[in-house]
Amino acid sequence: MVSAVSLTLSVVCGGICMRKLLNTLYITSREYYLSLDGENVVISQNKKEVGRLPLHNLEAIVTCGYAGASPALMEKCALNNISMTFLSTTGRFRAKVTGKAYGNILLRRTQYRMADSEKTALELARNFMIGKIYNERSVINRAIRDYEERLDTEKLVRVSAQLKDTLQMVRAAETMEMLRGYEGEAASRYFSQFDQLILQQKAAFTFDTRNRRPPLDRVNALLSFTYSLLTSMCGAALEAVGLDPYAGFMHTDRPGRCSLALDLLEELRAPYADRFVLSCINKKMVDAADFEQKENGAVFLNETGRKKYLSVWQNKKAEKLTHPYLQESIEWGLVPYVQALLLARYIRGDLDGYPPFLWK
């Protein structure tokens, strides 16, 4: 159960380029420059002011632009313990500016203690898995509703019912091993129907089973590439809110692995990444000419295909949805940041449970 807290979201100016989200200013346009005017952050485009916001209302600023920010603003933010996070236009973490007394050490110490606690780690892992399996079921149920006459709905209904049963077992899981077992069963059932959801270009795009390292067909190549993009966004979101993306709760510690980013990724795989892959295939945004196969059988997007795919991915990030917990309209590109903020608030004790992203 998650307690009610004040979680506000408001548009700073027209369009989808700026948002104040849970006391964080997000700049999603690559062309905006940030500067300081008294106690305000000023947002400009081509040297023309397009918005401003009082700094005292902010805990953090996150920008995806390449225009940058003024040294005066960075100094002011550092003095006032307002973190500034710089991301690439594709959402990769670049750098972060913080002040001397920045309080993330307390948040991270709490994160590490919770990760070391089997009880707390299991509680969080259950929530991540509830989100993952719930969303896998939602993708199947949406397909039944939208394409009933084109699909073997009997199989899809059966898998949906099995996933519903698995959700109940996940909620009662007493060990991490049990939880991972239920996750594996759910993923196997979900992907057993994935080929059904490919409605176009069947000669070029068929799916038998999930494979990776390397992906051995075009569908798996798209899934792996999209998961990588989304993992990068999750890692950047966790960095932005002050959490350590390498210290996970379900995924164990391993040098170089962003375990917490992978935890956060789980609930977003089906509604964000998988549906995007299916959409690109079914709407013929990619085709067989966008791929190449290596001598070892590995299949990857070629350079032309990557450019095309990344362009469509950027458009996907700008699409809007109603966030199921906030009940506010946001862009898909901000979903990882909302979840990271909610996770940070739970770790700080502002929420009595982490609310996973439950897509309908």
Side-chain angles (χ1 to χ4, degrees), residues 161-179:
Q162 291 171 337
L163 293 177
K164 184 178 181 181
D165 292 339
T166 303
L167 275 173
Q168 299 305 316
M169 292 186 284
V170 165
R171 292 186 175 98
E174 297 180 352
T175 67
M176 201 70 77
E177 288 71 24
M178 292 174 64
L179 192 62

Side-chain angles (χ1 to χ4, degrees), residues 239-255:
E239 288 273 11
V241 303
L243 291 170
D244 185 345
Y246 291 88
F249 296 96
M250 182 170 181
H251 289 83
T252 56
D253 294 346
R254 185 182 300 171

Side-chain angles (χ1 to χ4, degrees), residues 140 144 151-162 189 192-193 196:
I140 288 176
I144 294 171
L151 302 171
D152 185 342
T153 55
E154 183 178 344
K155 289 183 179 179
L156 291 172
V157 168
R158 183 169 62 250
V159 169
S160 176
Q162 291 171 337
R189 287 166 175 161
S192 73
Q193 302 304 307
Q196 270 211 77

Side-chain angles (χ1 to χ4, degrees), residues 25-320:
L25 175 63
Y26 286 91
I27 307 296
T28 56
S29 170
R30 65 183 67 183
E31 299 174 355
Y32 284 1
Y33 179 75
L34 307 181
S35 59
L36 180 68
D37 181 15
E39 298 297 320
N40 300 293
V41 54
V42 177
I43 303 97
S44 304
Q45 184 178 26
N46 297 324
K47 298 184 179 181
K48 180 181 179 181
E49 181 177 326
V50 295
R52 63 170 53 212
L53 198 69
L55 284 171
H56 69 263
N57 289 333
L58 298 176
E59 294 178 4
I61 297 173
V62 178
T63 176
C64 297
Y66 56 65
S70 72
L73 177 62
M74 288 188 278
E75 180 183 22
K76 185 72 171 181
C77 287
L79 291 173
N80 287 275
N81 290 324
I82 301 170
S83 68
M84 289 193 70
T85 303
F86 296 89
L87 310 177
S88 72
T89 54
T90 58
R92 288 186 177 275
F93 179 81
R94 281 177 170 169
K96 189 172 185 177
V97 177
T98 61
K100 292 181 179 179
Y102 194 64
N104 282 347
I105 182 61
L106 300 178
L107 177 65
R108 290 196 174 198
R109 281 187 174 178
T110 305
Q111 175 190 353
Y112 299 145
R113 286 195 294 268
M114 293 174 72
D116 287 338
S117 165
E118 291 185 9
K119 179 180 178 181
T120 306
L122 179 61
E123 179 183 344
L124 267 169
R126 274 198 297 256
N127 282 5
F128 292 133
M129 285 304 102
I130 287 171
K132 179 179 184 178
I133 298 170
Y134 180 99
N135 291 332
E136 289 174 340
R137 185 168 181 258
S138 291
V139 168
I140 288 176
N141 289 343
R142 176 70 69 91
I144 294 171
R145 187 190 73 186
D146 292 346
Y147 305 105
E148 181 177 4
E149 296 180 357
R150 303 179 63 180
L151 302 171
D152 185 342
T153 55
E154 183 178 344
K155 289 183 179 179
L156 291 172
V157 168
R158 183 169 62 250
V159 169
S160 176
Q162 291 171 337
L163 293 177
K164 184 178 181 181
D165 292 339
T166 303
L167 275 173
Q168 299 305 316
M169 292 186 284
V170 165
R171 292 186 175 98
E174 297 180 352
T175 67
M176 201 70 77
E177 288 71 24
M178 292 174 64
L179 192 62
R180 293 190 178 103
Y182 297 145
E183 177 202 11
E185 290 175 8
S188 177
R189 287 166 175 161
Y190 168 72
F191 279 118
S192 73
Q193 302 304 307
F194 202 74
D195 189 63
Q196 270 211 77
L197 308 185
I198 301 172
L199 305 175
Q200 301 289 337
Q201 305 188 86
K202 294 293 288 188
F205 294 92
T206 57
F207 182 88
D208 180 46
T209 187
R210 179 77 181 112
N211 54 67
R212 53 186 183 143
R213 299 176 186 170
L216 300 176
D217 58 69
R218 297 183 183 107
V219 179
N220 273 291
L222 289 177
L223 288 171
S224 292
F225 187 62
T226 310
Y227 292 158
S228 178
L229 292 173
L230 194 50
T231 301
S232 178
M233 290 173 62
C234 289
L238 294 165
E239 288 273 11
V241 303
L243 291 170
D244 185 345
Y246 291 88
F249 296 96
M250 182 170 181
H251 289 83
T252 56
D253 294 346
R254 185 182 300 171
R257 182 167 78 173
C258 292
S259 296
L260 186 57
L262 293 174
D263 286 349
L264 197 63
L265 169 71
E266 295 295 356
E267 62 198 83
L268 302 181
R269 285 182 188 266
Y272 201 155
D274 296 354
R275 288 183 66 247
F276 178 72
V277 168
L278 290 169
S279 178
C280 284
I281 296 171
N282 291 335
K283 293 181 180 180
K284 300 181 180 180
M285 296 176 180
V286 292
D287 54 44
D290 294 319
F291 297 83
E292 62 181 66
Q293 187 171 20
K294 305 293 185 181
E295 291 182 0
N296 64 352
V299 178
F300 295 98
L301 280 165
N302 57 34
E303 185 176 353
T304 301
R306 282 195 302 273
K307 289 180 180 179
K308 182 192 300 186
Y309 198 72
L310 286 172
S311 176
V312 182
W313 176 251
Q314 291 297 92
N315 293 334
K316 168 65 179 178
K317 288 163 62 177
E319 293 178 5
K320 291 189 176 183

